[in-house]
Amino acid sequence: MALEHGAINLSQGFPDFPVSETLIALIHKNMKAGHNQYAPMPGTPILRNVIATVVQNSFQRTVNPETEVTITAGATEGIFATIAALVHPQDEVIIFDPSYDSYAPSVILNGGKPVHLNLHPPDFRIDWDLVKSKITSRTRMIMINTPHNPSGAVLAESDLKTLEEIAIQHGIIVLSDEVYERIIFQDQVHQSVLRYPALAEQSIAIFSFGKTFHATGWKTGYTVAPEYLTAEIRKAHQFVTFSVNTPVQLALAEYLSNAENYLYLGSFFQKKRDFFLDQIKGSSFRPLPCLGTYFQVVSYDGISKKSEADMATWMTQEHKVASIPLSVFYKDKSDNRLLRFCFAKSEETLAHAGEILRKF
Ligand code: PMP
């Protein structure tokens, strides 16, 4: 709809600024050097080794790159392969809505049953007592996502500790979608499941280079999980995609070896968030807290009584700024008069959008 109506597209989560020239040159170098054939099924050893080092440095967890790291075709494939491997027919999977759109379909396609629990604005916190009350003998998995798309909320240490207790007590596997691990603001510490040794023994952490290096089109991600879970995930991964493209993996291995290439991301995107917030200052859009991700949720309660879907459509067609209604991320289509704007855009794009949004 954004294309059709010539609207500034702040809807989908993809950056409109360039990928690092160095990284592009590294891919080119690897292609020229003849690295254009199938990579090994679990990923190139050199990239898995570097990831193990990054995991050690970031979360103080020692992982074996041979048996605990698997390169996937984006986080989406990692999520799908994990669910295909570990969720069996009739298994229940707890999903917190609003949720990324691949979660529930991946569970359903594999015969599982999504159990949707709603998170509520403004802070979208998880009610762990509610979680406990929904656990049955069939609960196989809990899916979490921090920093959280679409809300911009992040989980705290206390959340992870409670989750750890629940997972251990009930023998539940945790799928932790951490694709925005580096896009976290105000000096907060990203609460990876990998920081919690007992929890990590029952968890799969999933990451995406697309998010970290502004290259969503490359579709390269990875899973980190203990050997007994990784062995199962690889059985699915082998027949979903077999392996992921070689030159990108080799280039990422070299690029990732330099921590300067990713440690700046939090402040980089915090500046973009603040720039966008500045742009909409003075309008009647009310921003909700955004502690991570590159999405800003705003309430338009003071502007219109329209449904979220109608509001997003109207804004795209009539005012030429596209956003995403939060209701589409809820199974029950909860409508709280909230829109999600992606600020992973150039300042020029954000300023153009601001000119329009400030009129409200
Ligand atoms: N999880 C979340 C929460 C996301 O926002 C996205 C991308 N929109 C993904 C997973 C998918 O990542 P990838 O593009 O690497 O498949």
Side-chain angles (χ1 to χ4, degrees):
M1 201 185 287
L3 276 179
E4 189 187 329
H5 293 274
I8 300 168
N9 192 356
L10 304 191
S11 59
Q12 267 180 306
F14 63 86
D16 76 342
F17 41 84
V19 170
S20 150
E21 284 296 332
T22 311
L23 188 47
I24 290 173
L26 284 171
I27 295 174
H28 194 216
K29 181 184 89 176
N30 278 292
M31 286 179 160
K32 286 281 203 189
H35 299 299
N36 297 302
Q37 307 308 327
Y38 292 129
M41 180 275 283
T44 55
I46 181 172
L47 178 57
R48 284 185 283 132
N49 284 338
V50 178
I51 289 171
T53 307
V54 171
V55 165
Q56 178 74 56
N57 294 343
S58 306
F59 310 126
Q60 296 75 55
R61 181 167 175 83
T62 308
V63 294
N64 181 340
E66 297 256 312
T67 55
E68 298 184 296
V69 178
T70 307
I71 313 300
T72 57
T76 311
E77 194 251 320
I79 293 166
F80 187 86
T82 298
I83 292 172
L86 301 170
V87 173
H88 307 118
Q90 307 308 322
D91 280 352
E92 293 176 6
V93 177
I94 293 183
I95 294 176
F96 299 103
D97 283 357
S99 58
Y100 178 56
D101 57 3
S102 86
Y103 295 174
S106 301
V107 171
I108 293 166
L109 277 168
N110 287 292
K113 191 172 159 248
V115 176
H116 293 266
L117 302 186
N118 282 5
L119 307 177
H120 304 284
D123 53 11
F124 296 89
R125 289 197 66 79
I126 293 176
D127 176 348
W128 291 107
D129 288 330
L130 179 66
V131 175
K132 286 178 196 161
S133 76
K134 296 292 177 185
I135 289 172
T136 72
S137 58
R138 293 223 141 124
T139 308
R140 171 70 166 158
M141 179 183 279
I142 297 177
M143 294 177 75
I144 58 166
N145 170 216
T146 185
H148 182 245
N149 173 18
S151 74
V154 301
L155 294 179
E157 186 179 343
S158 58
D159 291 307
L160 274 283
K161 288 198 163 144
T162 310
L163 174 62
E164 184 171 62
E165 272 168 33
I166 295 173
I168 290 168
Q169 186 186 346
H170 299 279
I172 293 170
I173 292 167
V174 173
L175 186 161
S176 184
D177 178 343
E178 304 185 16
V179 299
Y180 299 102
E181 59 164 336
R182 306 268 166 217
I183 310 179
I184 185 160
F185 310 137
Q186 288 143 221
D187 299 324
Q188 297 169 102
V189 172
H190 167 57
Q191 293 296 333
S192 173
V193 288
L194 301 175
R195 288 184 187 278
Y196 299 83
L199 180 58
E201 286 304 317
Q202 290 178 209
S203 299
I204 305 94
I206 301 185
F207 303 89
S208 169
F209 290 116
K211 304 294 173 187
T212 300
F213 295 128
H214 331 312
T216 57
W218 294 356
K219 293 299 290 184
T220 316
Y222 58 99
T223 63
V224 179
E227 183 171 348
Y228 77 102
L229 294 175
T230 294
E232 299 306 311
I233 293 167
R234 288 181 182 175
K235 289 178 195 167
H237 167 72
Q238 169 140 23
F239 299 113
V240 173
T241 172
F242 175 60
S243 71
V244 174
N245 79 77
T246 307
V248 168
Q249 289 192 60
L250 295 174
L252 283 167
E254 202 169 328
Y255 196 67
L256 205 59
S257 304
N258 180 358
E260 278 176 24
N261 286 332
Y262 54 82
L263 289 181
Y264 74 99
L265 274 165
S267 57
F268 174 80
F269 278 108
Q270 186 172 328
K271 278 196 205 105
K272 291 214 174 279
R273 178 199 66 177
D274 295 344
F275 185 82
F276 179 65
L277 287 175
D278 242 26
Q279 293 302 308
I280 62 170
K281 216 176 247 165
S283 78
S284 298
F285 286 113
R286 185 171 49 83
L288 270 54
C290 169
L291 302 174
T293 75
Y294 43 52
F295 301 112
Q296 176 64 57
V297 175
V298 303
S299 164
Y300 59 88
D301 211 16
I303 297 173
S304 170
K305 301 286 174 232
K306 285 187 202 300
S307 73
E308 290 177 358
D310 286 350
M311 184 70 177
T313 304
W314 180 68
M315 295 276 305
T316 306
Q317 293 180 342
E318 303 298 324
H319 297 280
K320 313 294 181 204
V321 181
S323 59
I324 301 256
L326 248 70
S327 50
V328 302
F329 296 91
Y330 284 96
K331 163 97 166 85
D332 67 5
K333 304 289 174 242
S334 274
D335 198 310
N336 297 292
R337 298 205 183 102
L338 299 173
L339 298 175
R340 187 199 78 176
F341 290 93
C342 174
F343 56 78
K345 306 289 171 188
S346 66
E347 289 202 349
E348 194 189 359
T349 308
L350 295 174
H352 273 131
E355 273 169 36
I356 297 169
L357 297 174
R358 274 196 304 279
K359 295 191 183 128
F360 285 88

